Amino acid sequence: MCLPSHLLSTWVLFMVTLPAAQSLGKTWVPNHCRSPIEAVCNFVCDCGDCSDEAQCGFHRASTPSTPFTCNFEEDPCGWQDISTSGYRWLRDRAGAVLDSPGPRSDHTRGTDLGWYMAVGTHSGKEPSTATLRSPVMREAAPTCELRLWYHIASRDAAELRLDLTHGVETLTLWQSSGPWGPGWQELVVNTGRIQGDFKVTFSATRNATHRGAVAVDDVEFRHCGLPIPQARCPLGHHHCQNKACVEPHQLCDSEDNCGDRSDEDPLICSHHMATDFETGLGPWNQLEGWTRNHSAGSMVSPAWPHRDHSRNSAYGFFLISVAKPGTTAVLYSPEFQGSASYNCSFTFYYYLHGSEASHFQLFLQAQGLNSPQAPVLLRSRHGDLGTAWVRDRVDIQSAHPFRILLAGETGPGGIVGLDDLIMSNHCILVPDVSTLQSSLSGPVPSGLYPQIPGKLPRQTCEPGHLSCGELCVPPEQLCDFQQHCAEGEDEQTCGTTDFESASAGGWEDISVGNLQWQWAEAQESRKPAGDANRDVPGHFLSLQKAWGQLRSEARALTPALGPSGPHCELHMAYCFHSHPQGFLALVVVENGFRELLWQAPGSSSGGWTIEKILLGARRRPFQLEFVSLVDLDGPGQQGAGVDNVTLRDCNPVVTTESDQEVSCNFERDSCSWHTGHFTDTHWHRVKSHGSQYDHTTGQGFFMYLDPTDPPARGQGALLLTRPQVPVVPKECLSFWYHLYGPQIGTLCLAMRRDGEEDILLWSQSGTHGNRWHQAWVTLHHQPEASTKYQVRVSLAFGRCCRVGPLPITTLHPQLLFEGLRDGYHGTMALDDMAVRPGPCWAPKSCSFEDSDCGFSRGGWGLWTRQSNASGLASWGPWIDHTTGTAQGHYMVVDTSPNLLLKGHVASLTSEEHQPLSRPACLTFWYHMSFHNPGTLRVYVEESTRRQELSISAHGGFAWRLGSVNVQAEQAWKVVFEAVAAGVEHSYMALDDIALQDGPCAQPGSCDFESGLCGWSHLPWPSLGGYSWDWSSGGTPSRYPQPSVDHTLGTEAGHFAFFETSVLGPGGQAAWLRSEPLPATTISCLRFWYYMGFPEHFCEWLSPGCRGRGAQVRHKGIFQKPDQPWPLLSDKGELRVLLSSAQGQLAVWYHGGHLRDQWLQAQIEVSNSEEFQIVFEATLGGQPALGPIALDDVEYLAGQHCKQPTPGQGEVAAPMSVPVAIGGALLFFMFLVLLGLGGRHWLWKQHCPRHSTDAVASGFDNILFNAVGTPKCGQVGDPASMFNEGKAVVDRTVPPCPDPYCLSTAAV
């Protein structure tokens, strides 16, 4: 490339200066903002566009109040892999690698198109560590918080670590050896104050027994920037020497809040008595069960602190409880005297981690006239607060001398620690302590232990049990929404409260930051003047300031609750006023996972707002949690409050009349159906609107599920009924379902009996077009009169119907609807459930994935339902037709003479089908062995038995389509007969039997009015897992589509279509494949297509195209000589491929542009062996919104294409593949000559010569006389030799999805 002279100097300067900056390890900052290097990556936007904070391990913040984040969607944000082995970190996405052991979706988007950093499996036997390191960061504030999400299976790594290196010290922020839960898990750590430069590393360690698949996403740095200089501070704030402003309570608190330590200046803090335990115990020398220690070297337990608070270092000292579990460690302060006019303030830092049973308490013990008074409890915390040191403060007013007692009790595996005990300057040390000396000897004062008031009952209960009257209520029956005590004592502190009692209904503040929930009077609170019951002052739960140094949310938690019934609701009143960054939410905590149930939609008008929230059926134990974050120091009267909390209809054993209603059209309510709350994905009863419409009326209600709204990261969604009592041994359950979208999962129905494995009854996978379908299943019940069942619908990751027990109070059988979520574009819906006595008709479709669909085995009973998942099947196809995998099921019969003698018959008979009101087409897919298995006959049994089809062809690698036209005015059955030929190692197999309206289509042809005919839209994971869909113009759709079809020219007509925008930047393609077609010397493929995209391409290769024509890559596309070559752009592309064992040949191409018109194309094809026609929809550039549609596909075997008569739309002239190849050769020679001439011209212009291996654009992958033996990437795909002289196309296709997709390569 020759650069103009006026650009040469600029280019040279750029190329010289950029490597120089990189070699110094400095971040390159755009010239428009030259921030000093010490201000780069310091969590403060010094440039107006925040460009000084780019590629710092995070992206620039959008607003000053938002955190610095990196979601890895665009790039790694400066994070680098520094691993020293093959076990390494890479930027990856879930859909990039087939059968990847990593997550199925990222955390940011919740889909397979999102990106994350991942380390894959490594087969080495030696232990290895993969390390991901951040760029250099600078100056973290004491409040700095690092949040990230990680994904790891329970056995995929030996250890995970998060370290921070500054100076010569590497500080461990977090370390875990598991066990880890499923899905994405959040990690939150506090870095503490870090001076100067530092780096963060996340590492995963594997050994020979661990696969090592780990992923990281959504890294956030919150509140990490130091305060910026201010000319003037708010009233009461301290002005630091560096002109920053800090609040008065941040002075002398043992933290560098200013950034220059001027808030900890000894001149200011000299009158405070601070003990940091670095050199000893100081005045806190009276202790029992505490010891001074540090973190350097080996730690005693995994919960041991990794650093102290004073120095934020592993070498700093602190106090740690060494008392045995169940024994209290006590630390006594010296004796103090409070100031008469000021409060004596005590600031301290404590550590609670490793056990929910650990406790920390602070008591005040005043000196009486003659003896010490009983200790008074001022602070109490329990549970696991994480790995951070938590600050708290108490203000003491006492007319008498006093001591402070700090008591810690460790639970199993727990640690309680203390550091930085600071008495303010208004706490006067009393020199003479002889008056309290007697209280220091002997055991811990009895006042430390709560005493049970009143008279003890005659029956003593075990620890943890509640005594009420003559009863001892065990812990598992407390707060179970069933009253066991006569006065209801066991349900009094279980969340229901008006907050007029100090017990607050059992709600407990568990906040650790600068906000907290407090039981407060309305007149004392910022909000509002009265409580929710009346306008006079009352009590409610109010959001207040706290003394914690961390800027985390305020949390209030209930005791353990449950189990709850399906109608359980929480009613409450709330007030909330905040700027957009604040929130008020209700969260459920269950099994260590947190699910958002409700969030205030916005600031209330100033008064109280009534809210009702469905909790639903939940297992025990679960807890409810109010979470809020509001800037109480911000402008305006910001605040939050909760009052009148009531849990209603939560008793799991109380039923109503509607609980017995399984039959439901969802118009009035959801009958007995209710949403399960075991995951974060939920079904919703919605009203028809827009693209969502019900089945009953088209304008009514139905149950709707969108797996990605909001992004769901759990295992799925559940819809279930109460246990039902059947009235007859057999019942027919019918329902209407809607599975629609280019990448949607599976819906299945199963029956569960207690103690037995689930019995799968019905399932459907992938999109079924934009229409409602009816399905029915016969329920077989046991004869016991008390039999009950429960129906459940869910959408879940993993295998169908492999879930844990439901929280029901009966051991009777259940019915389970369950969905397998293996896609992220589409919706599921259910409507019009009905149960009637007696058996159902035979199903309209059967894939054999769930059962044998009621088929009975006649003759010798040799037909068998099987799969080849183990790879050990002695006979039968390697893969099924439904899923195209070895895990799929089919019916197969062994026709070897040792089992079925020559001429003998093995039959397979369906259940009765309902009479047909019009002709229908029965289709099935069959697979026959290479060795002659005999004859497959198909009969229709109505009043008489008549043969409809006989197949005697030998088999091959492919499943083939069979079809039979059926007319039956009475109930009828279909019978498949295998007549053996007496040949060893022979078999016949059947799969995907379906009944469709209308007559059968010719092979390779379809008008799409009744469905896709013999065309398969099975999503291939190697291509991204996308499917063509089926719809009509008049049907509401969430995706763009043609307004009319071509067949009828009306809104009622149907077509096949694909919306390319769902592919995303990393998406690949969607295939619509014909059935296998026989070899042909000449045949004509004719079809109509529709493409709607903005026109973004040049019409001719001319100077107006600005040289973009050199980048055209058509991958074997043969274009008409009289048509322009379109450039790749942001549009969809439709391609026609011929796929066979020889490979794939692209024979037609068109790039989309905006035209509300159907266009016709026809292609003459020839192939020397069996092949399939593939319509491929893909993108030519970045994602673009627009549909590609097909209609009236016609395959004319053995016929030349004829010039169609002029009509509506445009017509592409017929084209022969051999002729196109000849034209391609001529065009290729022309491009070579053109390239040589251009090179000669460049040489004459004295441009530098460059050695290139480029092939002429447009035909860079057409190879002639290629030889080699390529192999598919999928087990079981046949490899074959290329015929010399055959044109093959290197399309760089991912691992082959079936025997007709054999990727080719040049040798």
Side-chain angles (χ1 to χ4, degrees):
M1 176 182 65
C2 289
L3 285 176
S5 59
H6 66 279
L7 296 178
L8 183 60
S9 59
T10 304
W11 174 259
V12 172
L13 180 62
F14 175 80
M15 296 302 293
V16 169
T17 56
L18 180 59
Q22 293 174 343
S23 65
L24 294 175
K26 302 181 184 301
T27 303
W28 180 72
V29 181
N31 290 334
H32 61 269
C33 178
R34 294 185 176 274
S35 179
I37 193 64
E38 61 271 11
V40 174
C41 298
N42 67 344
F43 309 101
V44 178
C45 293
D46 300 288
C47 298
D49 60 354
C50 206
S51 56
D52 56 313
E53 299 300 310
Q55 294 299 311
C56 299
F58 45 81
H59 282 299
R60 63 196 70 175
S62 57
T63 64
S65 59
T66 57
F68 292 91
T69 65
C70 180
N71 56 22
F72 303 108
E73 295 301 316
E74 301 175 4
D75 51 55
C77 308
W79 289 82
Q80 293 182 337
D81 175 78
I82 59 170
S83 310
T84 58
S85 67
Y87 188 49
R88 307 180 66 86
W89 289 91
L90 295 171
R91 181 169 167 265
D92 197 7
R93 64 178 179 86
V97 180
L98 182 63
D99 296 329
S100 171
R104 297 173 58 90
S105 63
D106 78 325
H107 181 264
T108 309
R109 297 185 179 186
T111 74
D112 59 346
L113 294 181
W115 293 84
Y116 47 77
M117 296 299 294
V119 56
T121 59
H122 185 56
S123 58
K125 296 183 179 180
E126 296 297 326
S128 54
T129 299
T131 305
L132 185 66
R133 186 177 67 187
S134 74
V136 174
M137 307 177 190
R138 296 174 177 86
E139 300 295 341
T143 56
C144 183
E145 182 181 81
L146 170 58
R147 297 190 177 208
L148 60 85
W149 291 81
Y150 66 95
H151 186 285
I152 180 174
S154 59
R155 298 180 181 179
D156 271 5
E159 183 184 68
L160 298 180
R161 290 174 64 98
L162 184 67
D163 296 319
L164 186 148
T165 301
H166 65 108
V168 297
E169 183 177 2
T170 296
L171 194 63
T172 299
L173 301 180
W174 174 77
Q175 181 180 8
S176 176
S177 298
W180 298 286
W184 288 96
Q185 302 172 69
E186 187 179 24
L187 171 63
V188 181
V189 295
N190 176 250
T191 68
R193 175 73 173 101
I194 306 294
Q195 295 181 338
D197 297 352
F198 66 94
K199 295 181 180 180
V200 177
T201 57
F202 188 88
S203 58
T205 301
R206 63 161 301 279
N207 54 34
T209 61
H210 295 83
R211 297 189 305 169
V214 185
V216 174
D217 202 1
D218 289 331
V219 180
E220 290 188 2
F221 291 87
R222 298 186 179 186
H223 317 299
C224 293
L226 291 168
I228 60 177
Q230 302 285 341
R232 182 179 302 174
C233 291
L235 183 64
H237 283 57
H238 173 72
H239 212 169
C240 307
Q241 292 181 9
N242 60 4
K243 302 303 180 182
C245 299
V246 298
E247 297 185 61
H249 70 266
Q250 293 179 306
L251 296 176
C252 307
D253 65 346
S254 190
E255 288 197 335
D256 180 15
N257 299 290
C258 288
D260 61 357
R261 296 202 62 83
S262 59
D263 55 320
E264 303 297 316
D265 193 326
L267 296 178
I268 301 176
C269 306
S270 59
H271 298 292
H272 290 67
M273 187 186 340
T275 304
D276 59 10
F277 304 110
E278 295 302 320
T279 58
L281 298 175
W284 297 77
N285 52 15
Q286 299 289 336
L287 70 167
E288 298 176 5
W290 296 94
T291 186
R292 178 172 164 268
N293 213 324
H294 58 78
S295 304
S298 59
M299 294 183 294
V300 176
S301 74
W304 193 270
H306 291 285
R307 52 199 161 137
D308 77 328
H309 175 265
S310 311
R311 298 170 53 189
N312 197 25
S313 169
Y315 300 94
F317 284 84
F318 47 81
L319 285 188
I320 206 79
S321 172
V322 292
K324 296 180 180 180
T327 305
T328 304
V330 184
L331 177 67
Y332 302 88
S333 77
E335 184 179 354
F336 292 96
Q337 177 65 57
S339 172
S341 55
Y342 296 96
N343 288 339
C344 166
S345 298
F346 173 51
T347 302
F348 58 98
Y349 294 83
Y350 62 97
Y351 179 93
L352 273 177
H353 182 46
S355 175
E356 293 292 339
S358 295
H359 282 78
F360 170 76
Q361 295 175 307
L362 185 150
F363 295 88
L364 180 72
Q365 187 177 37
Q367 174 66 33
L369 295 178
N370 300 317
S371 62
Q373 300 177 2
V376 178
L377 180 65
L378 300 183
R379 288 287 190 273
S380 179
R381 296 303 300 269
H382 73 277
D384 189 340
L385 304 184
T387 60
W389 289 93
V390 180
R391 180 177 67 186
D392 204 349
R393 167 176 158 173
V394 293
D395 294 333
I396 302 170
Q397 284 186 331
S398 177
H400 303 284
F402 64 87
R403 286 179 183 263
I404 295 173
L405 284 69
L406 302 176
E409 182 178 335
T410 59
I415 295 292
V416 180
L418 289 170
D419 202 1
D420 287 327
L421 312 181
I422 306 167
M423 305 296 297
S424 72
N425 54 349
H426 299 297
C427 304
I428 304 171
L429 183 64
V430 177
D432 184 12
V433 297
S434 59
T435 57
L436 288 181
Q437 191 66 37
S438 60
S439 68
L440 300 179
S441 58
V444 177
S446 61
L448 290 177
Y449 301 99
Q451 300 296 320
I452 300 177
K455 188 175 181 180
L456 290 175
R458 288 178 296 174
Q459 180 183 5
T460 303
C461 297
E462 300 179 11
H465 289 56
L466 174 68
S467 175
C468 57
E470 300 294 327
L471 294 178
C472 288
V473 183
E476 61 272 14
Q477 292 183 358
L478 300 177
C479 299
D480 63 351
F481 306 111
Q482 303 177 58
Q483 183 173 319
H484 302 282
C485 297
E487 301 297 326
E489 299 95 323
D490 55 321
E491 301 294 320
Q492 286 183 353
T493 57
C494 302
T496 295
T497 179
D498 60 4
F499 293 104
E500 296 307 317
S501 169
S503 65
W507 291 90
E508 179 184 5
D509 177 68
I510 59 169
S511 310
V512 297
N514 59 352
L515 294 173
Q516 63 182 343
W517 289 102
Q518 279 194 331
W519 178 68
E521 283 191 79
Q523 61 185 6
E524 298 175 355
S525 173
R526 300 164 59 106
K527 291 295 256 182
D531 72 350
N533 292 319
R534 47 199 175 274
D535 294 332
V536 298
H539 293 85
F540 68 102
L541 193 64
S542 174
L543 188 68
Q544 302 286 326
K545 285 187 176 182
W547 297 112
Q549 83 279 23
L550 306 177
R551 298 182 186 177
S552 54
E553 306 89 349
R555 304 179 184 274
L557 193 67
T558 65
L561 309 175
S564 61
H567 305 298
C568 183
E569 293 179 336
L570 182 141
H571 294 239
M572 70 172 183
Y574 75 93
C575 60
F576 174 66
H577 183 71
S578 172
H579 291 295
Q581 290 74 24
F583 64 87
L584 171 65
L586 178 67
V587 173
V588 63
V589 182
E590 191 171 4
N591 296 327
F593 295 93
R594 301 163 57 81
E595 176 194 348
L596 177 64
L597 289 183
W598 168 87
Q599 185 169 342
S603 296
S604 54
S605 59
W608 291 95
T609 302
I610 306 301
E611 187 64 55
K612 178 176 67 174
I613 305 164
L614 177 66
L615 303 180
R618 296 185 180 274
R619 302 181 180 94
R620 180 183 180 89
F622 70 91
Q623 295 173 282
L624 299 177
E625 185 179 70
F626 283 118
V627 185
S628 185
L629 181 64
V630 173
D631 184 8
L632 298 180
D633 293 322
Q637 293 294 314
Q638 301 189 53
V642 176
D643 202 2
N644 289 353
V645 178
T646 306
L647 295 172
R648 300 182 182 177
D649 302 323
C650 293
N651 191 328
V653 300
V654 175
T655 61
T656 62
E657 183 177 350
S658 64
D659 290 332
Q660 304 302 316
E661 297 178 355
V662 175
S663 299
C664 189
N665 61 12
F666 303 104
E667 296 302 315
R668 182 188 71 245
D669 52 34
S670 58
C671 308
S672 67
W673 297 88
H674 58 275
T675 302
H677 292 274
F678 309 115
T679 69
D680 62 349
T681 314
H682 301 300
W683 290 83
H684 301 279
R685 177 178 171 265
V686 300
K687 183 175 176 58
S688 301
H689 66 282
S691 62
Q692 305 167 11
Y693 61 100
D694 80 323
H695 172 262
T696 311
T697 65
Q699 300 177 347
F701 290 83
F702 61 102
M703 300 304 296
Y704 176 78
L705 173 64
D706 185 346
T708 59
D709 185 23
R713 304 177 182 94
Q715 291 188 351
L718 307 175
L719 185 66
L720 57 155
T721 67
R722 284 294 190 95
Q724 305 293 316
V725 180
V727 295
V728 291
K730 290 184 179 181
E731 291 181 309
C732 179
L733 170 67
S734 66
F735 55 94
W736 290 81
Y737 68 95
H738 195 278
L739 285 174
Y740 176 50
Q743 196 193 49
I744 192 61
T746 302
L747 192 65
C748 66
L749 172 67
M751 176 175 284
R752 168 177 296 173
R753 292 189 177 94
D754 185 55
E756 300 179 7
E757 187 175 353
D758 296 344
I759 303 173
L760 197 58
L761 302 177
W762 172 91
S763 68
Q764 290 294 333
S765 300
T767 180
H768 280 52
N770 190 12
R771 68 178 292 183
W772 287 92
H773 299 269
Q774 188 180 22
W776 48 81
V777 174
T778 300
L779 309 179
H780 299 267
H781 301 300
Q782 294 179 349
E784 290 84 4
S786 62
T787 296
K788 293 185 179 182
Y789 63 85
Q790 185 178 42
V791 178
R792 186 177 78 176
V793 178
S794 78
L795 178 72
F797 288 111
R799 297 180 60 189
C800 277
C801 307
R802 295 294 183 267
V803 292
L806 295 172
I808 58 175
T809 56
T810 177
L811 300 179
H812 301 301
Q814 316 160 29
L815 281 179
L816 315 173
F817 268 113
E818 185 172 23
L820 175 64
R821 178 188 172 194
D822 51 12
Y824 308 95
H825 295 286
T827 57
M828 292 185 178
L830 289 165
D831 202 1
D832 292 332
M833 309 282 187
V835 174
R836 63 172 176 82
C840 301
W841 295 107
K844 283 189 174 183
S845 63
C846 180
S847 64
F848 300 109
E849 294 305 307
D850 38 86
S851 67
D852 59 11
C853 303
F855 276 89
S856 58
R857 302 161 177 84
W860 299 93
L862 297 179
W863 283 92
T864 304
R865 176 177 169 266
Q866 76 170 26
S867 72
N868 192 31
S870 64
L872 301 177
S874 57
W875 37 268
W878 295 335
I879 59 175
D880 80 326
H881 179 264
T882 310
T883 68
T885 68
Q887 287 72 35
H889 291 78
Y890 51 82
M891 297 295 292
V892 64
V893 57
D894 188 348
T895 55
S896 301
N898 59 327
L899 292 176
L900 195 63
L901 297 177
K902 182 177 180 180
H904 284 217
V905 175
S907 63
L908 189 66
T909 306
S910 73
E911 295 179 319
E912 279 195 338
H913 286 268
Q914 60 182 338
L916 300 176
S917 59
R918 56 177 178 172
C921 178
L922 177 71
T923 61
F924 57 93
W925 290 82
Y926 65 94
H927 196 291
M928 306 181 81
S929 60
F930 278 109
H931 304 285
N932 180 20
T935 303
L936 178 64
R937 297 172 181 170
V938 182
Y939 296 87
V940 171
E941 233 179 48
E942 197 176 355
S943 55
T944 60
R945 185 181 188 188
R946 60 182 182 271
Q947 180 175 324
E948 300 288 348
L949 184 66
S950 177
I951 302 172
S952 301
H954 289 209
F957 286 106
W959 285 89
R960 291 174 174 81
L961 178 65
S963 59
V964 174
N965 286 299
V966 181
Q967 291 183 341
E969 298 179 355
Q970 304 176 19
W972 59 281
K973 298 179 181 181
V974 60
V975 180
F976 295 94
E977 282 190 353
V979 183
V983 178
E984 292 286 350
H985 308 296
S986 60
Y987 64 84
M988 301 182 194
L990 290 172
D991 202 0
D992 288 329
I993 302 172
L995 185 68
Q996 298 181 357
D997 295 332
C1000 298
Q1002 293 298 315
S1005 302
C1006 190
D1007 63 7
F1008 301 108
E1009 290 308 313
S1010 298
L1012 297 178
C1013 307
W1015 290 81
S1016 171
H1017 62 170
L1018 180 67
W1020 293 110
S1022 59
L1023 297 178
Y1026 299 97
S1027 297
W1028 282 73
D1029 228 315
W1030 180 75
S1031 185
S1032 65
T1035 306
S1037 173
R1038 64 185 300 176
Y1039 304 105
Q1041 61 184 23
S1043 57
V1044 297
D1045 79 326
H1046 177 262
T1047 309
L1048 305 179
T1050 68
E1051 292 183 349
H1054 292 79
F1055 45 79
F1057 83 103
F1058 181 74
E1059 169 51 47
T1060 58
S1061 66
V1062 301
L1063 293 175
Q1068 297 183 38
W1071 278 4
L1072 185 65
R1073 301 181 308 145
S1074 73
E1075 60 188 277
L1077 300 171
T1080 179
T1081 56
I1082 191 68
S1083 293
C1084 182
L1085 173 66
R1086 183 184 300 161
F1087 60 92
W1088 289 81
Y1089 65 97
Y1090 176 104
M1091 306 185 75
F1093 296 89
E1095 192 168 354
H1096 290 315
F1097 58 93
C1098 299
E1099 291 297 333
W1100 296 94
L1101 291 180
S1102 64
C1105 290
R1106 301 184 182 273
R1108 292 179 61 192
Q1111 300 180 23
V1112 176
R1113 296 180 297 108
H1114 288 281
K1115 293 186 180 292
I1117 302 302
F1118 305 115
Q1119 195 74 2
K1120 281 184 60 178
D1122 59 343
Q1123 287 185 343
W1125 287 90
L1127 296 177
L1128 295 184
S1129 59
D1130 300 347
K1131 65 183 186 303
E1133 295 180 357
L1134 176 63
R1135 299 168 178 170
V1136 178
L1137 314 177
L1138 301 185
S1139 178
S1140 69
Q1142 289 288 333
Q1144 299 169 42
L1145 180 65
V1147 298
W1148 185 88
Y1149 156 92
H1150 193 81
H1153 50 91
L1154 182 61
R1155 288 188 183 179
D1156 189 12
Q1157 190 176 20
W1158 286 94
L1159 308 177
Q1160 188 185 30
Q1162 51 186 10
I1163 309 165
E1164 288 188 347
V1165 297
S1166 62
N1167 213 69
S1168 60
E1169 60 183 9
E1170 191 176 51
F1171 68 100
Q1172 288 176 289
I1173 299 171
V1174 178
F1175 287 102
E1176 180 185 72
T1178 186
L1179 283 175
Q1182 294 299 314
L1185 183 65
I1188 297 177
L1190 288 171
D1191 203 359
D1192 292 332
V1193 178
E1194 189 176 10
Y1195 178 72
L1196 304 174
Q1199 299 183 29
H1200 287 276
C1201 291
K1202 298 179 181 180
Q1203 186 67 31
T1205 57
Q1208 181 184 4
E1210 293 186 1
V1211 178
M1215 182 179 5
S1216 169
V1217 173
V1219 172
I1221 295 178
L1225 275 174
L1226 293 176
F1227 190 71
F1228 176 78
M1229 294 174 62
F1230 169 75
L1231 288 180
V1232 170
L1233 292 175
L1234 182 64
L1236 292 175
R1239 180 178 179 184
H1240 178 71
W1241 181 84
L1242 289 175
W1243 179 80
K1244 283 189 172 290
Q1245 297 296 320
H1246 304 288
C1247 284
R1249 297 185 181 181
H1250 298 283
S1251 175
T1252 62
D1253 297 323
V1255 183
S1257 61
F1259 298 93
D1260 58 343
N1261 56 350
I1262 298 294
L1263 306 179
F1264 296 92
N1265 300 317
V1267 294
T1269 310
K1271 294 184 179 180
C1272 285
Q1274 187 174 9
V1275 177
D1277 287 334
S1280 63
M1281 298 292 292
F1282 293 144
N1283 294 329
E1284 185 173 352
K1286 179 73 67 175
V1288 294
V1289 181
D1290 177 15
R1291 292 180 39 79
T1292 61
V1293 172
C1296 306
D1298 68 5
Y1300 286 98
C1301 165
L1302 187 62
S1303 63
T1304 64
V1307 178

